Amino acid sequence: MKYSKLVIAVIITAIISSGITFNLVQQRETIALNDEDPFSKLKSTYSILEKNYYKEIDQETLVEGAIKGMVDSLDDPYSVYMDVEEAKSFNENVSSSFEGIGAEIQENNGQIIVVSPIKGSPAEEVGLKPKDVILKVDDQSIDGYSVTEAVMLIRGEKGSKVNLVINRAGVGELDFSIVRDTIPIETVYSEVIEKNIGKIQITKFSETTGEELTNALNELRKKEVSGLVIDLRQNPGGLLNQAIGMSDLFLEKGKNILQVENNLGEKEVYNDENDLVLDLPITVLIDEGTASAGEIMAAALNQSAGIPLVGATTFGKGTVQTAKSFDDQSSVKYTTAKWLTPDGSWIHEKGIEPTVKVELPEYANLPFINPDNVLKQGDTNTEVDSAQKMLSALGYSDIPLNGTFDETTEEVVKQFQKDEELPVDGQITKQTTITLIQRIQEKLKENDTQLKKAIEVLKEGM
């Protein structure tokens, strides 16, 4: 009898369970697809949702989502669909000034990484570095975000503040508080150093960069410089046509600038078409922030003109993108080809090795100290460690280098504050932090080991 009741209970449970399943998932219907139309499944899915979804749906949202999904499925960090706002932001970055922190970023395996901060930008001033991984923007995780989605969060009005949490290889997580500013349109900076040596820094390749470079060269010619250092460090790239036209100024006519290989393996060779060539000894500075168009120019000058490269291995971006706009002002940016150096090498994800490898001083890579934080006696963290190393680099040799803010550290901080005519309280915060960072930046400029080596190499060829 007990056995029969058990069987009945099991049967009843099975029937109830079956009924619940039937109520949640109705009987499947097979939809016929048109084998001759590759978009048949997409159209059918749209039609099904439009007619049967339990909530009212927005047609534009579905279409935008489908396009984004299509582009995202390429699994290419440089191909992206941009809605109207995102496209506006992208176009500003290429052609004019904009307000933000001034850092070129890209998506890589679901992470947003810094390619390079722009010269003179808030991102450079606080110490963002190439290959830093951005984890959070104002406490919001951006894991899985596209580049354009991340940019929309990071950008903002001049004077407003954004907080970033980044992960730096070999260091760990770091917090950055950055005040947004206007990022200027100027991309070429020139000066005379070492009496008769010209230096030109190119910070990116925008629509006006070629013209700026020509003007800078003309100014240096008037000053009768006898050698030239071209600084491509921290240059995230930009427009291909600018890289080609600018390389043209330094190569003999007919020399190869680069090769572009399409999806069929067909190669188009771009050769120098300029009859005139700058007749000066030249060296080029590169580093891990030199990317894309910056790498094109560096490789062209090195391989086709024998110009030495000084510094560190470049970023490694060897693909070409183009952007197409729709009449609603949205756009799609997509990869069209590989680019190869004059000797046929593809430097993608490998970078270009310098002719002469030179690292910057250790203090050039110290983690950022947030001026809003208060470092005081008893604290132990990476910011204390960074501050101690900065003070040591500035000549305060008595300070311990252990990441612990002890009595000795406090005394050294008080001495630094006295020397800088700051309020003396033995704590590192606000103006003390800002002054400490400024002094380190000034010291690095005075002791730019890469630039010094480039000048040395240049003089050997003069």
Side-chain angles (χ1 to χ4, degrees), residues 427-453:
Q427 297 182 355
I428 301 176
T429 186
K430 303 298 182 184
Q431 193 56 46
T432 297
T433 304
I434 292 169
T435 303
L436 180 58
I437 292 172
Q438 287 174 341
R439 296 295 173 265
I440 280 292
Q441 289 173 340
E442 290 167 3
K443 184 175 179 64
L444 181 60
K445 188 173 182 180
E446 294 171 1
N447 190 30
D448 187 338
T449 51
Q450 292 174 335
L451 176 58
K452 287 181 177 180
K453 189 63 177 180

Side-chain angles (χ1 to χ4, degrees), residues 195-376:
K195 294 184 179 179
N196 64 339
I197 293 175
K199 176 177 175 284
I200 292 180
Q201 182 172 14
I202 304 168
T203 61
K204 64 186 296 189
F205 291 78
S206 67
E207 291 175 343
T208 62
T209 306
E211 182 181 351
E212 289 180 60
L213 175 61
T214 300
N215 292 337
L217 288 171
N218 288 336
E219 286 299 314
L220 290 176
R221 280 196 189 98
K222 292 177 184 177
K223 295 174 182 178
E224 299 181 346
V225 297
S226 56
L228 179 64
V229 175
I230 300 175
D231 192 348
L232 294 176
R233 293 177 297 178
Q234 305 293 297
N235 185 318
L239 301 174
L240 174 63
N241 65 335
Q242 293 291 312
I244 293 172
M246 291 161 64
S247 299
D248 218 28
L249 299 172
F250 303 96
L251 306 181
E252 294 179 1
K253 187 172 183 178
K255 290 288 187 178
N256 183 215
I257 298 173
L258 82 158
Q259 305 173 50
V260 175
E261 182 179 326
N262 66 18
N263 58 0
L264 299 176
E266 299 167 340
K267 296 177 183 176
E268 182 178 3
V269 178
Y270 289 80
N271 291 324
D272 189 312
E273 298 179 353
N274 187 16
D275 288 318
L276 300 175
V277 60
L278 186 65
D279 186 21
L280 279 177
I282 300 171
T283 57
V284 175
L285 280 165
I286 58 173
D287 68 3
E288 61 278 357
T290 307
S292 190
E295 292 174 298
I296 289 174
M297 186 171 181
L301 270 58
N302 176 241
Q303 295 183 10
S304 292
I307 294 172
L309 306 177
V310 177
T313 305
T314 62
F315 186 85
K317 179 183 178 291
T319 56
V320 179
Q321 285 72 43
T322 191
K324 299 288 186 182
S325 296
F326 300 103
D327 58 13
D328 67 351
Q329 304 306 309
S330 62
S331 67
V332 59
K333 179 169 72 80
Y334 55 98
T335 298
T336 57
K338 299 176 180 179
W339 69 264
L340 311 176
T341 63
D343 69 3
S345 300
W346 193 37
I347 58 91
H348 196 61
E349 297 184 348
K350 293 180 290 186
I352 300 169
E353 293 290 334
T355 312
V356 181
K357 189 174 183 64
V358 185
E359 299 292 343
L360 289 172
E362 185 180 353
Y363 55 81
N365 298 309
L366 289 174
F368 172 70
I369 306 172
N370 189 340
D372 292 335
N373 293 342
V374 179
L375 305 181
K376 60 186 184 305

Side-chain angles (χ1 to χ4, degrees), residues 60-114:
E60 183 178 346
T61 300
L62 282 185
V63 173
E64 294 272 307
I67 298 171
K68 279 183 179 288
M70 187 186 303
V71 179
D72 288 348
S73 70
L74 297 172
D75 195 25
D76 175 9
Y78 303 107
S79 295
V80 62
Y81 169 73
M82 295 173 277
D83 62 25
V84 175
E85 285 301 312
E86 292 168 339
K88 179 183 176 184
S89 176
F90 171 75
N91 290 330
E92 285 176 344
N93 189 29
V94 170
S95 61
S96 65
S97 62
F98 59 92
E99 293 180 351
I101 68 169
E104 185 83 11
I105 61 175
Q106 74 165 57
E107 185 272 333
N108 186 31
N109 295 324
Q111 294 181 315
I112 300 298
I113 67 172
V114 175

Side-chain angles (χ1 to χ4, degrees), residues 370-425:
N370 189 340
D372 292 335
N373 293 342
V374 179
L375 305 181
K376 60 186 184 305
Q377 190 175 153
D379 290 343
T380 301
N381 54 48
T382 56
E383 289 198 336
V384 172
D385 181 69
S386 184
Q388 289 174 331
K389 289 176 179 175
M390 287 183 185
L391 287 163
S392 176
L394 292 173
Y396 294 88
S397 56
D398 293 336
I399 194 164
L401 304 176
N402 54 13
T404 297
F405 204 122
D406 56 12
E407 290 182 12
T408 304
T409 300
E410 184 177 273
E411 290 305 312
V412 172
V413 171
K414 286 180 178 179
Q415 186 59 53
F416 173 76
Q417 291 170 330
K418 288 178 184 177
D419 294 342
E420 296 292 337
E421 299 182 351
L422 298 167
V424 179
D425 59 8

Side-chain angles (χ1 to χ4, degrees), residues 100-101 122-123 125-126 157-162 177-181:
I101 68 169
E125 290 175 1
V126 302
E157 293 183 0
K158 176 181 178 179
S160 63
K161 186 179 291 186
V162 62
S177 181
I178 309 174
V179 178
R180 299 178 177 102
D181 203 347

Side-chain angles (χ1 to χ4, degrees), residues 155-174:
R155 277 197 185 169
E157 293 183 0
K158 176 181 178 179
S160 63
K161 186 179 291 186
V162 62
N163 297 308
L164 303 184
V165 177
I166 67 101
N167 184 66
R168 180 171 296 167
V171 177
E173 290 190 11
L174 299 170

